[in-house]
Amino acid sequence: MTAVHVDQLTVEYTRGGNVIRPLDAFDLRVPVGSLALLLGPSGCGKTTLLSCLAGILVPTSGRVTVNGSVVTEMTAPQLTAYRQNDVGVVFQGFNLVPSLTALENVMVPLRAARIRRPEARRRAEELLAKVGLADRLQNRPAQLSGGQQQRVAIARALANDAPLILADEPTAALDHVQVEMVLRILRVIADEGRTVVVSTHDPRLLHLAENVIEMVPLHASAAVGPEERVLAPGEVLFSEGTRGDRIYFVEDGEIELTQANPGGEPRVLAIGGPGYTFGEMGALFDIQRSATARATTTTTVIGYTALQFKGRFGADHLMKMIAGHAARDASTSGR
């Protein structure tokens, strides 16, 4: 059964005299009880899509159906009821009320739904215990770490037992230890039968999801053609720690990918000959290159934008590259 069904969704607005269209005839299917990732860099429409799923933003055109209810056809009162009962939202910035304790923050949506105070308190305590914060009930947000605040936000999103949970960049402000805790909680929520949709540019979430929806900015131009480079033996194509917007294909020759170990010495991650593709993480997620790419012989490579690469090689090939990169990162304890 499909929990989230999006058809031909378009969002358009004008800014500075220019027409902006973060989503253009976008389609999406997410099964009930699964965890789906909207994966891509800033500007690709992830937050816009979540806002439409939450009933916060009215799209220009298209249809959004959640658990059989057509969100895009709801009246204002119906949308209010939908946001209160059918969907829980976890915001990137936590959005906790600073003057309230963790317990009181989680009680807010329950009291808004006219749940009596004793029952709202019991439910909030139960949810905070679920996310590992039973000993932090009386702490205010300023007394909590970023990871703890995000867990309070998750508990609040679960307060009314909504079947759909939306999380917008939930790990963006967290360190590695905090990320692991939040990831485990999101996975448990989906395993309990809720549908979870997470927007992120963090590849650490890949192993959690049944569905990965790769999104690229619509303004990423396909008009700028593929870039051909001929490298001399030993020439560096790109260096670890730099940024780049191209995914590469080895047409002839050989490329060696190396990564500096903690002592500064390079270790070889991969060597690829004709047909080898690499460089997807920096291009897709606007993050620093995780390795240095160097030609071992005279080598010809073709550089593609994400849209061009997807058009030539297909989305499945791109997702296999991302999954392989994440697996390699796990085996070497980080990028």
Side-chain angles (χ1 to χ4, degrees):
M1 180 179 174
T2 302
V4 176
H5 197 134
V6 175
D7 285 304
Q8 296 291 293
L9 194 69
T10 297
V11 174
E12 181 179 291
Y13 56 90
T14 302
R15 177 182 294 167
N18 297 314
V19 175
I20 309 296
R21 188 177 289 175
L23 294 172
D24 189 3
F26 184 83
D27 293 328
L28 175 68
R29 304 288 184 275
V30 181
V32 170
S34 64
L35 192 155
L37 294 186
L38 308 176
L39 201 60
S42 299
C44 68
K46 301 190 304 295
T47 298
T48 300
L49 176 58
L50 289 186
S51 297
C52 292
L53 295 180
I56 297 170
L57 177 65
V58 177
T60 306
S61 63
R63 182 183 177 99
V64 174
T65 304
V66 175
N67 294 318
S69 298
V70 184
V71 178
T72 43
E73 295 179 0
M74 290 181 177
T75 64
Q78 288 172 331
L79 280 172
T80 298
Y82 168 76
R83 289 191 292 263
Q84 187 175 81
N85 302 314
D86 298 325
V87 61
V89 182
V90 180
F91 299 96
Q92 178 180 341
F94 315 138
N95 281 21
L96 302 179
V97 181
S99 61
L100 300 183
T101 65
L103 180 66
E104 291 165 339
N105 267 283
V106 179
M107 288 175 64
V108 166
L110 293 164
R111 295 292 290 150
R114 299 183 179 179
I115 304 297
R116 297 185 62 175
R117 182 173 293 276
E119 175 58 21
R121 182 184 180 92
R122 184 201 64 76
R123 173 70 173 155
E125 289 176 346
E126 177 185 278
L127 288 169
L128 286 167
K130 181 186 182 73
V131 299
L133 293 175
D135 60 341
R136 300 286 185 174
L137 303 182
Q138 300 307 319
N139 287 95
R140 288 180 169 78
Q143 299 169 310
L144 300 172
S145 69
Q148 289 169 335
Q149 290 184 62
Q150 191 61 288
R151 282 186 274 158
V152 173
I154 291 172
R156 183 183 58 191
L158 296 172
N160 285 324
D161 202 25
L164 175 64
I165 302 298
L166 308 175
D168 188 13
E169 297 282 4
T171 63
L174 309 183
D175 63 28
H176 183 75
V177 174
Q178 295 169 339
V179 165
E180 289 301 318
M181 174 67 78
V182 169
L183 297 189
R184 285 198 297 271
I185 293 169
L186 292 174
R187 183 63 262 176
V188 167
I189 291 170
D191 289 341
E192 291 175 343
R194 293 183 180 87
T195 304
V196 182
V197 181
V198 180
S199 78
T200 186
H201 64 271
D202 189 341
R204 290 173 294 185
L205 278 70
L206 277 169
H207 68 283
L208 292 173
E210 291 90 357
N211 298 283
V212 178
I213 299 94
E214 177 258 325
M215 301 177 71
V216 295
L218 293 176
H219 58 73
S221 176
V224 178
E227 172 188 79
E228 179 175 314
R229 291 278 303 276
V230 178
L231 306 171
E235 185 176 349
V236 172
L237 175 63
F238 58 73
S239 298
E240 182 177 351
T242 60
R243 291 181 182 272
D245 60 359
R246 297 277 173 164
I247 305 171
Y248 291 95
F249 171 84
V250 179
E251 189 165 82
D252 185 55
E254 185 179 79
I255 285 286
E256 179 183 72
L257 298 179
T258 61
Q259 186 179 69
N261 62 28
E265 293 296 318
R267 69 176 183 275
V268 177
L269 297 178
I271 297 176
Y276 182 62
T277 52
F278 62 98
E280 74 287 353
M281 302 303 279
L284 283 173
F285 306 125
D286 191 28
I287 59 177
Q288 293 180 342
R289 297 289 192 185
S290 61
T292 294
R294 180 181 287 104
T296 61
T297 64
T298 300
T299 301
T300 301
V301 298
I302 309 296
Y304 298 90
T305 66
L307 285 175
Q308 291 165 351
F309 189 92
K310 185 176 178 180
R312 175 174 174 183
F313 297 96
D316 288 347
H317 183 85
L318 192 55
M319 296 316 302
K320 286 176 183 177
M321 290 176 67
I322 297 170
H325 190 118
R328 186 179 70 219
D329 282 357
S331 67
T332 57
S333 299
R335 283 196 298 273

